[in-house]
Amino acid sequence: MKMAPKRKPSDGVEESPDKFAKPLNDTTESSSEFAKPVYLVAAREDDPAAYSVLNVDATAVAGGDERPHIHTVAELPRAEPGMSFVAAHSKHGSWIVGVGGGLRAGTIIFDPRTLKTFQGPRLGYPKHKPVLISHGGEVYAISGYPRVVRPIDYEPWFESLSFNKGVPSKECGLWVSWSQLPPPPFFPCFLDPYEFRNPPEISVSSYAVVGSYILLSPQPELVVGTYAFHMVNKTWEKIHDKNLTFVGQAMPLGGSLFAACPIANNSITASASASVFHMSIKVPSSTTVAAVGTPSLSIQEFKVVASEDKISRPLFCSLGKDSFCFIRLGSSCRRKSRKALQRLRVSLTELSIENTETIMTHCQSQDAKANKDLLVAVQVKEQSHTCKSDGLFGMSVVAAFSM
């Protein structure tokens, strides 16, 4: 494993997300000022390679009383089954990016402003449903199920693509290849002959971006701890002895607060609720320039009682500072035949945190470390919407973004 370079004494005791470049989808706006539309990516049930970009009315989601209407914005050509999607941002614009799939492992880039779709570069090696992370004008793709044999999810397991110079597509006059990065240390990097014949089953279960770090943990039953990738130094370090206590991505709510589906008590599966997590990475101060402090993760969970037993799977979307929504999916038959297409039904529940200052004060107090059982309850304002989806049949939503 590549070792981290020496840190300067001025690096401080605790890294704050405010020290780093803020993406264009920064969640520092108030919920009342938020008026960005919510985009959904849906796959056709009868053709998994056919994806559509859907739009949800912004005013209705942002605290309005109207029932939101979902309509199709565009079809995504040259897509493949098994793609993952993420919203990418740079000073040149914002895009919905699809990555991975089958053996071609392509990249498609959709601009919601111009409604144009571009073909991006292929991955260094095909990845099926990769974990995608967007930060600082870069899209990071990590194999969700790393393998040691071909043809899918073989090395390189970790790659990045830059949008800092514009859309990385020949169609835009710019061709930027995916760059290979060092894999997470818990991936099957170094196996002896016996282990190679019987490789371990590893999957990425939990991830988040905290400051300049990407945090990863494998499936809950594989307890190896939490690892962090420094996006500037390009190095991995172990920052916690335990795995992350949520499933899927932790969505940023501004500052050091995140929303995610926690792991159920005495279980290895996600619970049917949401929690707010406070996460920060601390680097111990060193007495000498040569000394290098090992970063450590501080994480606290605050349950959102209003969401209990309401979330069937973790599909979250940030809606500005201290506000997010979780999305529930359902379906209804168009007609009473076995070949009936199912009508797309989407319910959005917006949760706005009302006691953020109390939560932050609790996390920063010295007593919080000694009294972890005395956690503050998250107080939220809840508003639910059942969306209109006339004419949308036979679709399954796979991703959601606010842009």
Side-chain angles (χ1 to χ4, degrees):
M1 180 177 68
K2 186 178 179 181
M3 299 302 293
K6 297 177 181 179
R7 292 185 178 83
K8 299 177 182 179
S10 60
D11 282 349
V13 176
E14 180 170 349
E15 289 206 31
S16 168
D18 296 334
K19 291 184 180 180
F20 304 96
K22 298 180 180 179
L24 296 185
N25 66 335
D26 184 46
T27 56
T28 56
E29 302 169 85
S30 68
S31 179
S32 60
E33 296 172 343
F34 186 88
K36 296 179 182 178
V38 172
Y39 288 93
L40 308 176
V41 178
R44 286 260 304 273
E45 294 176 355
D46 58 346
D47 183 3
Y51 294 91
S52 299
V53 177
L54 312 177
N55 175 259
V56 184
D57 293 340
T59 54
V61 177
D65 295 327
E66 295 183 16
R67 185 180 175 188
H69 183 81
I70 300 177
H71 64 275
T72 301
V73 174
E75 306 291 336
L76 297 180
R78 295 169 288 186
E80 289 194 36
M83 274 189 155
S84 297
F85 295 87
V86 71
H89 309 271
S90 79
K91 65 180 181 180
H92 299 283
S94 297
W95 308 270
I96 294 174
V97 182
V99 180
L103 293 177
R104 290 183 297 173
T107 304
I108 54 175
I109 304 165
F110 174 72
D111 188 335
R113 183 178 60 86
T114 63
L115 303 183
K116 293 182 178 180
T117 303
F118 307 97
Q119 187 76 29
R122 291 187 180 182
L123 288 163
Y125 208 83
K127 295 174 177 59
H128 185 74
K129 295 184 178 179
V131 170
L132 299 183
I133 296 168
S134 175
H135 183 80
E138 299 272 342
V139 169
Y140 297 86
I142 307 172
S143 290
Y145 304 89
R147 299 290 182 260
V148 296
V149 293
R150 293 174 173 86
I152 298 291
D153 284 300
Y154 188 70
E155 297 184 79
W157 292 310
F158 188 19
E159 305 178 59
S160 67
L161 181 65
S162 177
F163 284 75
N164 285 314
K165 294 183 179 180
V167 178
S169 172
K170 289 182 178 179
E171 301 167 63
C172 300
L174 177 65
W175 189 251
V176 180
S177 300
W178 284 90
S179 300
Q180 183 175 345
L181 297 170
F186 61 84
F187 273 29
C189 306
F190 304 102
L191 302 179
D192 60 35
Y194 176 79
E195 291 173 325
F196 187 83
R197 289 193 299 269
N198 300 276
E201 292 290 331
I202 296 174
S203 63
V204 176
S205 174
S206 316
Y207 58 101
V209 173
V210 179
S212 59
Y213 290 91
I214 294 175
L215 275 54
L216 288 184
S217 285
Q219 65 269 34
E221 58 268 31
L222 180 61
V223 182
V224 299
T226 299
Y227 285 83
F229 177 76
H230 197 289
M231 289 178 279
V232 177
N233 298 335
K234 312 296 184 186
T235 55
W236 286 96
E237 294 183 88
K238 187 174 183 178
I239 60 170
H240 204 283
D241 290 333
K242 296 182 179 180
N243 291 16
L244 294 168
T245 55
F246 53 84
V247 174
Q249 182 181 11
M251 298 299 299
L253 301 179
S256 52
L257 295 182
F258 300 80
C261 267
I263 296 175
N265 293 333
N266 302 319
S267 176
I268 58 174
T269 59
S271 66
S273 62
S275 287
V276 170
F277 292 85
H278 178 272
M279 291 190 286
S280 61
I281 295 179
K282 299 180 180 179
V283 179
S285 58
S286 57
T287 56
T288 64
V289 176
V292 178
T294 301
S296 62
L297 172 66
S298 172
I299 180 170
Q300 293 188 57
E301 177 186 352
F302 302 86
K303 294 187 180 298
V304 181
V305 178
S307 70
E308 289 184 356
D309 300 322
K310 293 183 179 179
I311 302 176
S312 57
R313 68 186 181 97
L315 191 56
F316 291 99
C317 183
S318 294
L319 292 178
K321 181 176 173 58
D322 303 333
S323 181
F324 68 100
C325 72
F326 59 85
I327 298 173
R328 288 176 291 170
L329 307 176
S331 60
S332 61
C333 287
R334 186 178 187 179
R335 56 186 181 273
K336 296 181 180 180
S337 69
R338 290 187 177 181
K339 296 182 179 180
L341 295 175
Q342 304 293 311
R343 181 192 298 274
L344 177 66
R345 298 184 63 185
V346 176
S347 296
L348 301 178
T349 299
E350 179 187 358
L351 298 176
S352 300
I353 303 174
E354 297 184 319
N355 61 333
T356 301
E357 291 186 5
T358 303
I359 294 173
M360 295 301 297
T361 300
H362 174 84
C363 293
Q364 295 168 1
S365 67
Q366 294 297 323
D367 293 337
K369 298 179 181 179
N371 300 295
K372 292 184 178 180
D373 294 334
L374 303 177
L375 294 181
V376 177
V378 179
Q379 299 175 7
V380 297
K381 178 182 178 181
E382 178 181 358
Q383 189 167 16
S384 297
H385 308 275
T386 300
C387 303
K388 298 179 182 178
S389 57
D390 299 338
L392 298 178
F393 295 91
M395 291 183 173
S396 176
V397 176
V398 297
F401 319 101
S402 60
M403 300 176 66

